[in-house]
Amino acid sequence: MSRTTRNRLRLGLGASAFLLAASLVPAPAHAEDVTDYSITVDPATKGAKIDDTMYGVFFEDINRAADGGLYAELVQNRSFEYSTDDNKSYTPLTAWTVDGNAQVVNDDGRLNARNRNYLSLGAGSSVTNAGYNTGVRVEEGKKYDFSVWARAEGGTTLTVSLHDADGTLATARQVAVRTGGWARYRATFTATRTSSNGRLTVGSSAAAALDMVSLFPRDTYKHEPNGLRKDLAEKVAALHPGFVRFPGGCLVNTGSMEDYSEASGYQRKRSYQWKDTIGPVETRATNSNFWGYNQSYGLGYYEYFRFAEDIGAMPLPVVPALVTGCGQNKAVDDEALLKRHVQDTLDLIEFANGPVTSEWGRKRAQMGHPKPFQLTHIEVGNEENLPNEFFARFKQFRAAIQAKYPYMQVISNSGPDDAGSTFDTAWQLNRDAKVDMVDEHYYNSPQWFLQNNDRYDSYDRSGPKVFLGEYASWGNAFKNGLAEAAYMTGLERNADVVKLASYAPLFANEDYVQWSPDMVWFNNHASWGSANYEVQKLFMNNVGDRVVPSTATGTPSLLGPITGAVGLSTWNTSAAYDDVKVTDADGQTLLSDDFSGDASKWTHTGGGSWSIQDGQYVEASDTAENTMVQAGDPSWHDYDLHVKATKKSGKEGFLVAFGVKDTGNYYWWNLGGWNNTQSAVEQAVDGGKSTLISKAGSVETGRTYDIDVKVRGRQVTLYLDGQEWGSFTDDKPAEPFRQVVTKDAKTGDLIVKVVNAQSSAARTAIDLGGAKVASKARVTTLAAAPDAVNTETKTAVAPVTSTFDGVAGKFSYTFPANSITFLRIKQR
């Protein structure tokens, strides 16, 4: 996953409470009404076919999405394998407390070679597990299955209990352990109370060895034992996704490419390798998770395949290409290791699709699934930053796969960003080699998504298809969902190029977040879909089978001049500013300050410490970040800004702002940023920054620089010490009104999908191009305040269904402010 560097025009999405309340109710309009927009549909022309797999989900074990999440196991660190390799704070007893004598042992008495640690528990001692979040979650009346692998030289009795601070949660169980070697023992609890703060305690009357201490809810999704947490699985199933991409992400292309064996020294920081994750759970290898915790692999490839099948989705696994990414960026040069990984990939296809008479098909059958999983797509690699090295290895994977399984679609990728040298190089390599499909990833601001609806309009129709495997705007508010929805109309319009698309990431446990935003949030007792989830669900459940060509008018007056006040700031740097002057295009002075008096013209909106010193305006702290002070009028446009700046101390240089609307919306020239290695113009929109232009460069301490910024319309030119440093034109409109029309072959419905991502309602004339239609349409609307966020206790963004009884060949409809509206119109 990575951030990208493009963002353009800000579109204000705020609205008065009155306007918002009034606009949430669609107001039918008459055809003769004056309208803001028009949509013209061409039902006689056949548009692009939309595959059933158009939209799917991407599951990566990030934010505790697997252990402590979708994987229903309630015991944390059940096999005592936590290690400092996973997280510097971890020990083999993390999540456990000991009463008496207990220690984790790694010796020849272990359960098996791949499960290295076990617990040696003294006579009369016990251990208690804290579960995830606030504890072990149990619900009154429901059953929970306990199991443990144990051995005791002379036999023993284990006492197993569930309890919280208020007392017992179920009747305790006595488990008799026989004399001899390792064996698995089971017991069942029925919860007598509901609690999210439970603890599981296992005590022993005599000395014993324990491993794989487990507690599973009986009520899991579709399957038990080793099943999936029901509410999380059901939220994914409700999307009706066309595919499930798994297991990563950065898990796939980071760490060692060696296996987990004595020969490799049982390396714990490995790439995700599918053979580690199948078979009996007690024999599956453990591994360090790239995101800073342990992954038990209880949720492994077999479970992923089975889950995809359960929800009617196409499985889409990702395998390592022996080029690391996600900041590691190293090509592994080991021909024997590469051949082993290529063979592992062939074996994976055999595991998924092979007959029960084959080696790997038999292993699948032994796990409980004789029927093949019907695998048709496989992805090699994940957003590698070394495109040439990656592609040299990718070609070997593809050749081997297509030689043995010619029906397989082998997917490549274009690196971690939406543009740039890596992206361009990767795409050229993919085009030249006639790759089936290329996976693009990008995370951008809402503005970027509003501005780039046309991204795929110009893609080569005869080139590789696009898999948009990871995308999201930065946030979980409804304004993010609106921007993503607007963008998705462009994905559908280009369904002949974009064949697969999945928002990412899918899950986040609110107490273990490494990445945000995320689609579904949860803790140990509840889960809730974000505003983005509601958008994805609306689109996935109303895809249609074919695009119906349509056009729409745009929003006028999106290309006014850059407006805003000016500002000064620092970042981990002390600096002095002087001789600030702003003049309009005619040379008239708007602001002049030589700091010979006070700083009354400036408003301090950031951190740090500002004061007048020796006729300069000085920010004294060299540790404060974004110390912004601003002056002037937000309505200023077409002006020249001059300032003298001197670095006094610290890590970076200067930040000179222009087009300042407020504390979260501005442009600034960041001179000597990124630890004084680079200078760039960044744009902040609602607090999120993206880069418009950048160059290498540094700022000298003690030297005074002349800085000039010339703003004309939407063109900005920057001068450093009298020499032109660079320029840019911020002229790509962030169009808030987007639409697409599709046809549902099964029902014959025309599905008119309209996004109105602005604070006023959009009165719209719709011309269905002569289509014969029923007068009533089924309407689904998502409408909310732009900053509305769904939480555990409040669903601010939820679909509302209604009927509109005013459809005709030509009719008008008023789309509410800040809304996504789907009209399902019956054709006669």
Side-chain angles (χ1 to χ4, degrees), residues 587-600:
Q588 299 297 310
T589 300
L590 301 174
L591 171 72
S592 180
D593 202 338
D594 63 4
F595 303 107
S596 58
D598 57 25
S600 59

Side-chain angles (χ1 to χ4, degrees), residues 44 96 133 333 380 431 463 520 566 590 652 667 678 714:
W96 295 93
N133 300 95
D333 233 354
V380 177
R431 274 191 294 268
V520 176
V566 297
L590 301 174
E652 305 206 345
Y667 302 81
Q678 186 177 331
R714 304 207 64 80

